[in-house]
Structure formats: C-alpha cells, structure tokens
Amino acid sequence: MKKIVALLTMMILVLTLLIGCGSNQKQEERTFRIATQYTGFGYYANALMKEFGLLEKHLPDGVTVEWHDIVSANEMRDALISGQVDLTGFSTPSITTAIQNGMPIVFVSHIGANTVRLYSNKKDITSYDTLKPDHRISVPTLGTTVHSAFLIGAINDLGSADKFENSITILPNADAVTALISGMDGIDVIGSPFPTLLALEEAENVHMIRDLSNEIVEYGIGTVMGTTKEFAEQNPDLLDAYLSALDDVCIMLAEDQESCLDLLMDTYGCDTEVGREMLDFFLASMEYDGEKYDKLMGFLYERGFLEKPAPTFVELPKYVRSGS
C-alpha cells in the first residue's frame, strides 16, 4: 500500500512539473507587436528604441518584438482594435476621440512631438501681424497638429485667431510644399512639420515666418501610445518594459546625443545643425503632464474640434506602471 501511495505521489509530482513547464513555455512564447511610423518625427522615440534594442533589454525572456510601419493614423487605430497590433500611436486628440466614441483604449504614454513652422513665398508676409483675412493658409487637416499649432500661435501673438476663420485651405502637406515653392496661386502660407520643411528651408523663394515649437511644447501637442484594456490587463509586464525603454530614450537623448544625431541624420537626411535643433526640441517635447493635456483638450473643445468636453487627464483611462 505504501508503495502504491508513493508511486501515485511521484506521478502527481511529475504531472505537476510537466504542466508547470508547459504553462511557463506558453507564457514565455509571446510576440509584442507595436505600430509606429518610421518617417514620422513624432515617433522618433520608437526609432531610437528599435535601433538600439532598448525595449529588448527590459522584456521577459521569450518575448519577440515586431515593429509595424503603418503610415495612416486611422489604419494604426484599426489595427489595434482588430487585434493586429498590441500597442499603437495616436495624436493626443485622436486617442481622446476614440475613447469618447466608446473604443476600449487606454492611454499608455506621451512619447514626444514633431515641430511645425510657418512659411510663405510672399515678401510682405513676415509674421502673424502681416497676415490678412484674405490670405490663404494651408493645413493638412482641421484640428490636428499643424492647424492647432497655427491657431495657438495666432492667439499668443495677436490675442485671437478669429480673423483666420475663413482663411484655411485643406491640402496634403507634400502638395502644399510643392504649391508654395512653385508659386501656385491660392496658397500664401503653409504650416509644415519636420522633415517636410527641409525642402522649404532650401527653397530660395520661400522664407520662414514663425517657428511654432514653443506652442507645441506648451500645449503638449504630440504623439501618444495606446493599447486596449484587455491587453493592458493581460500583459502589464510588456507595457512596463516599453515604459522603461522610454525612460532609456530620455537618458540617451540627454547623455548620448551623438548616437541620436547619427540616426536622425541618416533617417531624415538633414545636416548637423538642423539635427541638433530637432534633438533639443524633441527632448523638450517629451516633458509631459496632465496640465498640458487638459489645456489642449480645453482649446480643442472651445474651437469646435471636439464634439463634447474631453475627460480630464485624471479621468482619462490610463495604464499605470506596476508599482507606481
């Protein structure tokens, strides 16, 4: 009898170990799929993460990272909702709108921003003060980074943006750049992000009239990463690893600018001077808090770009790092 009990005990122990090993193997064999935009400077933190393997340093053993380059913001959102990726980028307004529309999305982190500068090919346009209501101002889309930054700049310089209510023309940025350089009628000013603005900097018949970097940093206009509630609940270790890698990006930008500069110049084709300007701006843009979010959401609602008041940053569904 004792031998039978001992044998049964041994079999249970072996089965427990086998089940445990199978469970651990299943847990370790995971793929972390992240959607980003390789050519979008607002995603430069992800580019550094990928280039220098910063995320892999913090991931559990057995986790594979897949980076998905998706150009369209709507496609990035849809890929997340359909389960094709686990973490994706949004503009700050777009993640708020998605949450307001009932999508099961949570805010993970602000990861930086892209600068915007205003350019004109008219010699008499040199500042907001010289802009007239009948001048045509091109932006890619209403209420997004370029348009918002333009309006905030007008408020800062003129006290109001009302006189430009009927001045806005919608045109893809690449088309607007071509139109401005060629002198096409109907476009007097365009707002352009980096690196598209490099072509404008080189054009002899075009000049910059305003750098809107301070407005973007002041209002926290930029790129955020979001995930689904289900993924956040089931994979906190992967999101913790991403946030730790983001901490490493900040350290690298502050302490190893040469490596960051080399990647930036190779990726976007800019010279050293412009590259250093962009690095300084990007590091500043990563400083983010709830006050900036609330300020931007209040502005967007007042201008009619949000159908209803946004949740405050405190109310926003967010992933909170383990141990925080």
Side-chain angles (χ1 to χ4, degrees):
M1 186 67 179
K2 290 183 178 179
K3 289 183 178 180
I4 294 174
V5 171
L7 181 60
L8 288 172
T9 302
M10 181 63 71
M11 290 176 65
I12 292 171
L13 179 61
V14 170
L15 285 171
T16 301
L17 289 172
L18 289 173
I19 292 171
C21 289
S23 175
N24 288 338
Q25 185 177 12
K26 183 178 180 181
Q27 181 181 1
E28 290 174 357
E29 292 178 354
R30 288 180 291 170
T31 302
F32 192 12
R33 302 162 303 171
I34 304 173
T36 190
Q37 293 182 1
Y38 293 143
T39 58
F41 188 59
Y43 291 86
Y44 184 60
N46 285 345
L48 287 170
M49 223 179 272
K50 181 177 183 291
E51 177 70 15
F52 295 100
L54 301 180
L55 178 55
E56 285 81 356
K57 288 169 36 180
H58 299 284
L59 287 170
D61 292 338
V63 177
T64 302
V65 181
E66 287 182 1
W67 293 95
H68 296 251
D69 183 24
I70 303 178
V71 176
S72 164
N74 289 338
E75 289 178 3
M76 294 177 83
R77 178 203 60 208
D78 293 344
L80 178 67
I81 296 300
S82 64
Q84 298 175 53
V85 298
D86 307 310
L87 183 67
T88 193
F90 295 85
S91 68
T92 316
S94 66
I95 194 171
T96 301
T97 301
I99 291 170
Q100 285 184 317
N101 289 338
M103 295 183 182
I105 294 172
V106 295
F107 176 102
V108 175
S109 181
H110 174 91
I111 63 166
N114 197 349
T115 191
V116 172
R117 296 174 182 175
L118 300 181
Y119 293 87
S120 179
N121 58 6
K122 306 294 189 299
K123 293 182 179 180
D124 60 331
I125 300 178
T126 57
S127 65
Y128 275 104
D129 290 323
T130 58
L131 282 173
K132 299 176 182 178
D134 59 347
H135 282 137
R136 305 310 300 167
I137 300 152
S138 172
V139 301
T141 314
L142 296 179
T144 49
T145 299
V146 174
H147 189 207
S148 297
F150 170 79
L151 294 175
I152 293 168
I155 293 169
N156 285 348
D157 286 12
L158 305 176
S160 171
D162 292 344
K163 80 174 187 176
F164 304 116
E165 194 71 32
N166 300 311
S167 302
I168 302 300
T169 295
I170 306 301
L171 195 64
N173 193 245
D175 294 342
V177 168
T178 300
L180 197 71
I181 293 175
S182 65
M184 185 183 302
D185 290 337
I187 299 295
D188 301 303
V189 174
I190 73 169
S192 184
F194 178 82
T196 313
L197 59 79
L198 293 175
L200 296 165
E201 293 284 347
E202 295 173 358
E204 294 183 358
N205 64 324
V206 173
H207 59 278
M208 185 180 75
I209 63 173
R210 183 70 153 75
D211 186 335
L212 296 168
S213 297
N214 289 338
E215 280 71 16
I216 288 172
V217 172
E218 177 188 357
Y219 278 74
I221 304 172
T223 304
V224 304
M225 300 299 287
T227 188
T228 61
K229 292 181 179 179
E230 181 180 10
F231 185 84
E233 291 169 357
Q234 296 179 359
N235 300 276
D237 54 341
L238 302 190
L239 296 180
D240 287 346
Y242 180 85
L243 293 174
S244 295
L246 197 57
D247 292 339
D248 289 348
V249 167
C250 292
I251 294 170
M252 191 172 182
L253 283 165
E255 299 180 358
D256 187 12
Q257 282 215 347
E258 293 307 313
S259 296
C260 298
L261 182 63
D262 288 342
L263 177 62
L264 190 151
M265 292 169 64
D266 288 344
T267 303
Y268 303 109
C270 63
D271 61 28
T272 303
E273 182 180 356
V274 172
R276 291 194 186 281
E277 287 179 11
M278 292 300 103
L279 285 182
D280 289 342
F281 162 78
F282 193 80
L283 183 58
S285 77
M286 294 186 76
E287 297 178 5
Y288 192 75
D289 56 40
E291 290 184 4
K292 291 183 177 182
Y293 173 86
D294 292 342
K295 190 174 184 178
L296 177 60
M297 292 303 111
F299 165 79
L300 292 173
Y301 178 66
E302 289 171 4
R303 303 299 306 188
F305 300 131
L306 295 177
E307 294 182 359
K308 53 186 176 181
T312 65
F313 191 72
V314 172
E315 298 166 340
L316 189 71
K318 294 185 293 297
Y319 174 75
V320 179
R321 191 187 307 210
S322 302
S324 298

